[in-house]
Amino acid sequence: MPGLSQKESERVRTLLELFCHERVRTQAKQVDRPVALVRYPALLRRADAWTEGQAVVTGRGAYFLPDPTPGAALLRAATGRTLESQVELEWVLEGLRWQPESELDTYLVRAVAETGGAAWAASDAQVAWDIPLEQEVHLSRGPEVLVGKVGLDDQSLAHKLLFSWGGTTQAFSRKPYS
């Protein structure tokens, strides 16, 4: 595309691929405002091993998509298609935020299942409120732990989303790992 950088062209292509699908377009017509969510780089500890990836936090829960291709996995979950070009998770979320929250959850869960990530409902996750969000978001579910640093611009929204989990967010003491 003339006038656009390679990265800008890939972003436009990703959004066009999403909205070429009738279901995505139809669902978007039902939405008055985009789903509030925060995406940030994170680490998932599962079975004493750490995996790098991206966390997505919504008012309904937390999702972890491992690197290297979380964007491509979410695009496939929503459209069934794979693009030859780069697909950033941020670009796919940009389009899918305009879906009903339940649809976005469905796509995220599909992508998590494909990649071996993690999906935690707000009612199942615990937030370590004793750790300031400015330092890191520290979530856990059973023996699994999800940690990451939210960007400065997203910290207020992250706090609002995590706080919206209500009584399901319990403070717990952070224990050293062995």
Side-chain angles (χ1 to χ4, degrees), residues 3-14:
L4 296 179
S5 69
Q6 174 81 24
K7 192 169 188 169
E8 290 169 328
S9 294
E10 290 171 342
R11 179 179 162 265
V12 169
R13 184 174 183 198
T14 299

Side-chain angles (χ1 to χ4, degrees), residues 36-38 57-59 156-166 169:
L37 61 83
V38 174
V57 173
T58 70
S156 177
L157 179 56
H159 189 273
K160 180 181 175 181
L161 290 170
L162 294 170
F163 191 75
S164 76
W165 291 2
T169 53

